[in-house]
Amino acid sequence: MTETTARGYQGNGGGKLEGRVIAVAGAAGPAGRAVLLRLAEEGAEVMAADADAERLAEAVDAARFAHGGATVTGDTVDLLDLDATRAWAARTEKEFGRIDGLVHLVGGWRGAATFAETDLADWDTLHDLLIRTVQHTSLAFQGALERGGNGRFLLVSAIGASKPSAGMAPYAAAKAAAEAWTLALGDAFRKAGGDAGPPAAAAILVVKALVDDQMRAARPNAKFAGFTDVRELAGTIAGSWTEPTEEVNGKRLWLTPRP
């Protein structure tokens, strides 16, 4: 299992994604907003999905306003429904003729004070949010990503998957399972390409936690040590298409020190 730091994957503007069609799952949160903005800035046509229609519309409008002329559309999709997720992928490929990426930003967190106080109901919640949505999006988009050539399936994960703490067993286990599933997709891409190399890449972006301007404003004295700014995450995501597919596939891209 290969690991690498994320340095060298930072996009720096200039429309590097011109002509690419990129789907973003879980696009309504702070990370989603930052990613939509960056992808639009780089010239991509962006298909955003989230279960929260109101917040999704706000995120899409913000990206459109920031980058006049950018193609950013929103679609309310229940990613816990495999058929609905496949229909979203099919609609996107039919409308734009290709799909070059799926960025998975669906998140969620549950924790306990101690291991003994773990609530197994948290596992049920996180299984759906952090694992099931990865399963559905990967199954729905695999074929289109392979057909597009140089496709990307990008999962945002957390250091807890590699170094779980006592009070976050359900969260760490769910993240670890999502990582394993993503790496299995990467192996499928490798096998599909044979000697020619993978036609698409599946990779994991590892953070300690994410921070945005709203969090900083709410806690002005907090240091957020080791946290990754959502804009840095967005830059790494956008920059992943500039690297050779075989060098991205099956990798962990670390945006925080390795444990």
Side-chain angles (χ1 to χ4, degrees):
M1 191 177 298
T2 310
E3 299 180 350
T4 183
T5 63
R7 284 178 290 184
Y9 292 89
Q10 301 295 323
N12 59 5
K16 287 181 168 55
L17 298 177
E18 195 74 37
R20 299 203 183 274
V21 177
I22 302 173
V24 180
R33 287 178 177 239
V35 170
L36 295 186
L37 286 167
R38 185 55 181 267
L39 295 179
E41 176 188 350
E42 295 284 5
E45 296 178 293
V46 189
M47 310 302 109
D50 202 277
D52 189 321
E54 183 175 351
R55 293 177 67 217
L56 176 62
E58 293 172 355
V60 168
D61 287 346
R64 288 174 177 165
F65 180 79
H67 303 289
T71 299
V72 185
T73 63
D75 202 344
T76 305
V77 181
D78 181 3
L79 298 176
L80 295 178
D81 183 329
L82 178 57
D83 289 338
T85 308
R86 282 181 163 151
W88 175 43
R91 284 195 305 273
T92 300
E93 188 175 22
K94 181 178 180 180
E95 181 175 356
F96 294 92
R98 60 185 296 126
I99 299 176
D100 298 285
L102 185 288
V103 181
H104 186 280
L105 298 175
V106 181
W109 189 87
R110 297 289 190 280
T114 67
F115 182 82
E117 293 175 90
T118 297
D119 184 349
L120 290 180
D122 291 344
W123 168 257
D124 295 334
T125 298
L126 294 172
H127 174 271
D128 281 349
L129 291 173
L130 304 183
I131 304 174
R132 189 66 76 191
T133 59
V134 172
Q135 293 172 328
H136 288 175
T137 51
S138 60
L139 290 169
F141 282 84
Q142 177 190 1
L145 293 175
E146 291 178 351
R147 288 187 290 273
N150 200 38
R152 297 287 183 269
F153 183 95
L154 301 175
L155 172 75
V156 177
S157 189
I159 196 171
S162 301
K163 189 178 181 181
S165 63
M168 54 184 289
Y171 177 79
K175 281 293 189 183
E179 288 193 8
W181 189 277
T182 300
L183 294 174
L185 174 63
D187 190 52
F189 288 150
R190 179 187 63 81
K191 291 178 178 177
D195 293 339
I204 300 159
L205 290 80
V206 185
V207 302
K208 176 182 178 181
L210 295 172
V211 63
D212 60 81
D213 289 343
Q214 186 175 0
M215 291 171 61
R216 291 191 179 95
R219 299 173 59 193
N221 296 322
K223 297 186 180 299
F224 299 105
F227 284 36
T228 299
D229 191 281
V230 292
R231 286 166 293 206
E232 179 186 353
L233 173 70
T236 301
I237 288 170
S240 72
W241 275 270
T242 68
E243 298 296 322
T245 300
E246 62 272 16
E247 294 184 13
V248 179
N249 189 43
K251 303 291 177 63
R252 284 186 176 89
L253 312 180
W254 289 85
L255 283 83
T256 189
R258 303 180 192 183

